[in-house]
Amino acid sequence: MEGQHHPYTSVNIDTGGGGGGGADRFPQWSIQETRDFLMIRSELDPTFMETKRNKLLWEVISTRMKEKGYNRSSEQCKGKWKNLVTRFKGCETMEAEGIRQQFPFYNELQAIFGARMQRMLWIEAEGGGASSSKKKAVATAQLSSDEEDDNDDSDGDQKGGSKKKRKTKSNTNPSNSSNLITSIREIMEEFMKQQMQMEMQWLKAYEAREEERRIKEMEWRKTMEDLENERMMMDRRWREREEQRRIREEARAEKRDTLITALLNKLRREDM
């Protein structure tokens, strides 16, 4: 299939964690395969936030990965997502420069969770008129990705009391809703604070690199100028030496011509 990458022909580079228990039997995830996987997962993230029954969604992801030429099961995809999220959370204490070196998929994960936060704020802005599915999306969005995936086998596995418990949780009172909104705001503020700190760290590192590059460039230019000046001086000295040699040659030639002329004149006088 044109434009697709099969996992068995890809470079076996896995910088985002294993694929969910099949590391001994299946090849590691290549960088391109992981980026394609995150693109698919990003497109389905709103659906993941609206339901806890994610088993079918992981099947959809597995099918779409196969359409791109990757042979990955739903369990492998789910395990890969867990590992990527774990790596992403571990980047919170790292510096911006180190993040991009140790975890090349940080920007993709950041975009997914940033879009999720925007959807949560949009749902919050709708106020009390939001539908139950949207309220459920807000509640689900607060869960970590590990909690999302641990709840995705609820199709047929949870019966009776568990269904009643879920139904009871969905009927939250206004105070719980207020607490939820406050919690969302706190999460968003903390998220934005971390983003600003990371951006500031990245900006400082970038400015330091630019200053170092500028200094090295100035040193290089000065070295090149010194070499050029030295070359010009050598060229000028060579031209001066050549000019002096030419003058000496002309003087010798003139003396030689004078002697030859005098000799010829003397010979003519003797012949007479």
Side-chain angles (χ1 to χ4, degrees):
M1 188 177 297
E2 185 177 357
Q4 295 179 351
H5 307 273
H6 196 280
Y8 293 93
T9 60
S10 300
V11 179
N12 290 337
I13 301 174
D14 185 15
T15 54
D24 295 335
R25 294 173 295 170
F26 296 98
Q28 293 181 328
W29 293 62
S30 68
I31 291 180
Q32 185 58 47
E33 182 182 8
T34 303
R35 295 193 190 283
D36 290 339
F37 165 72
L38 287 174
M39 182 178 66
I40 297 172
R41 180 59 177 77
S42 175
E43 293 174 357
L44 293 176
D45 191 67
T47 308
F48 272 91
M49 294 299 97
E50 292 175 1
T51 178
K52 292 183 181 180
R53 301 185 177 187
N54 297 334
K55 186 175 183 179
L56 293 178
L57 293 177
W58 289 115
E59 292 291 344
V60 170
I61 292 178
S62 174
T63 301
R64 292 185 61 179
M65 289 289 287
K66 290 177 181 177
E67 291 175 355
K68 289 182 173 290
Y70 307 114
N71 186 20
R72 297 295 181 181
S73 67
S74 60
E75 288 298 321
Q76 284 180 289
C77 293
K78 183 175 68 173
K80 181 65 174 179
W81 173 251
K82 282 186 176 182
N83 289 330
L84 288 170
V85 172
T86 300
R87 293 285 300 277
F88 177 77
K89 291 178 180 179
C91 293
E92 294 178 355
T93 57
M94 297 175 59
E95 295 183 356
E97 184 67 21
I99 289 174
R100 288 165 176 79
Q101 293 179 355
Q102 299 296 327
F103 188 52
F105 310 111
Y106 180 83
N107 291 337
E108 286 84 348
L109 271 295
Q110 186 182 50
I112 291 174
F113 289 115
R116 183 183 297 182
M117 285 293 181
Q118 290 180 357
R119 290 194 301 272
M120 292 166 60
L121 290 178
W122 176 78
I123 293 172
E124 177 189 346
E126 288 192 343
S131 63
S132 59
S133 62
K134 290 179 179 178
K135 290 180 179 179
K136 186 177 181 181
V138 175
T140 308
Q142 285 189 295
L143 297 172
S144 67
S145 295
D146 292 340
E147 291 172 336
E148 294 171 17
D149 295 333
D150 290 341
N151 291 329
D152 67 356
D153 293 330
S154 60
D155 296 338
D157 293 341
Q158 298 181 0
K159 301 179 181 179
S162 62
K163 293 182 179 179
K164 292 180 181 180
K165 184 178 180 180
R166 193 183 301 116
K167 183 176 180 181
T168 302
K169 288 183 178 180
S170 64
N171 296 327
T172 57
N173 55 37
S175 62
N176 290 337
S177 178
S178 177
N179 292 334
L180 176 60
I181 293 174
T182 302
S183 177
I184 291 173
R185 287 177 177 170
E186 292 176 352
I187 292 173
M188 191 60 187
E189 290 175 357
E190 182 65 22
F191 177 79
M192 294 302 296
K193 182 179 178 182
Q194 292 179 359
Q195 288 297 108
M196 292 181 64
Q197 290 177 349
M198 293 178 63
E199 288 297 327
M200 289 296 296
Q201 292 175 357
W202 180 87
L203 182 60
K204 290 179 180 179
Y206 174 78
E207 290 177 348
R209 289 196 304 271
E210 283 297 306
E211 181 65 17
E212 183 180 359
R213 183 194 63 79
R214 188 183 65 82
I215 293 174
K216 288 183 178 180
E217 183 177 356
M218 291 178 61
E219 292 176 350
W220 177 82
R221 289 181 181 276
K222 186 176 184 304
T223 301
M224 291 297 102
E225 289 177 358
D226 293 341
L227 289 174
E228 181 64 18
N229 292 333
E230 184 178 356
R231 187 194 66 80
M232 291 176 63
M233 291 178 63
M234 292 178 65
D235 186 64
R236 185 165 55 251
R237 287 197 296 266
W238 178 82
R239 290 180 182 277
E240 290 174 353
R241 287 196 300 268
E242 284 295 310
E243 182 65 19
Q244 293 174 1
R245 185 186 63 79
R246 187 183 62 80
I247 293 172
R248 289 195 299 268
E249 287 291 331
E250 289 178 353
R252 282 196 295 267
E254 186 177 353
K255 289 180 180 180
R256 184 173 61 251
D257 292 342
T258 302
L259 289 173
I260 292 172
T261 301
L263 181 61
L264 290 173
N265 291 333
K266 182 179 180 181
L267 290 174
R268 285 196 195 99
R269 286 194 298 269
E270 290 177 353
D271 291 339
M272 291 179 182

